[in-house]
Amino acid sequence: MNLTDKAIDIKGKKYVLVSDRVLYFNENYPNGSIQTERITIENMEIFKATVYPDVNTPQRLFTWYSQAVWWDWYINKTSALENAETSAVGRALAFMWIWVID
């Protein structure tokens, strides 16, 4: 999969959807793993995403947190949980440079 072919235009900038980044990761890192951990504090959903390119090398990892507050924003009225997890995974993958458009 070529991420350049998957890029979409959002407000004049090229963007690769997190779903496409996950597909790319799975195709190119068959021994890798993406793990998420959910933390809920009152009406806030927090996710920690950890990406392991190779589970046999657990000390090499990429981590990111994301948060979303229920009813705080349009999408969070119904999907704060999904929004927070997707953002955390997308940013952890970006640390691996799985987002770059050539």
Side-chain angles (χ1 to χ4, degrees):
M1 169 189 288
N2 184 339
L3 290 180
T4 303
D5 296 338
K6 296 293 184 177
I8 61 173
D9 186 83
I10 297 181
K11 297 182 181 181
K13 295 184 180 182
K14 296 293 184 181
Y15 179 79
V16 178
L17 296 172
V18 174
S19 57
D20 289 324
R21 291 186 233 170
V22 170
L23 289 172
Y24 178 90
F25 177 82
N26 288 332
E27 288 178 4
N28 291 280
Y29 298 90
N31 203 35
S33 174
I34 299 173
Q35 298 176 10
T36 61
E37 177 185 347
R38 178 184 177 193
I39 305 159
T40 302
I41 302 173
E42 295 180 12
N43 65 336
M44 183 183 306
E45 298 292 348
I46 302 168
F47 269 89
K48 175 185 177 184
T50 305
V51 176
Y52 299 91
D54 184 342
V55 294
N56 293 322
T57 312
Q59 66 274 19
R60 183 168 185 254
L61 56 94
F62 301 85
T63 302
W64 193 266
Y65 290 85
S66 183
Q67 61 154 8
V69 177
W70 285 101
W71 307 286
D72 183 42
W73 181 59
Y74 177 76
I75 196 74
N76 290 346
K77 288 181 181 179
T78 59
S79 304
L81 185 70
E82 297 90 337
N83 189 25
E85 186 173 33
T86 300
S87 294
V89 169
R91 291 177 186 217
L93 289 170
F95 275 167
M96 286 185 62
W97 288 90
I98 299 179
W99 68 275
V100 176
I101 307 302
D102 297 328

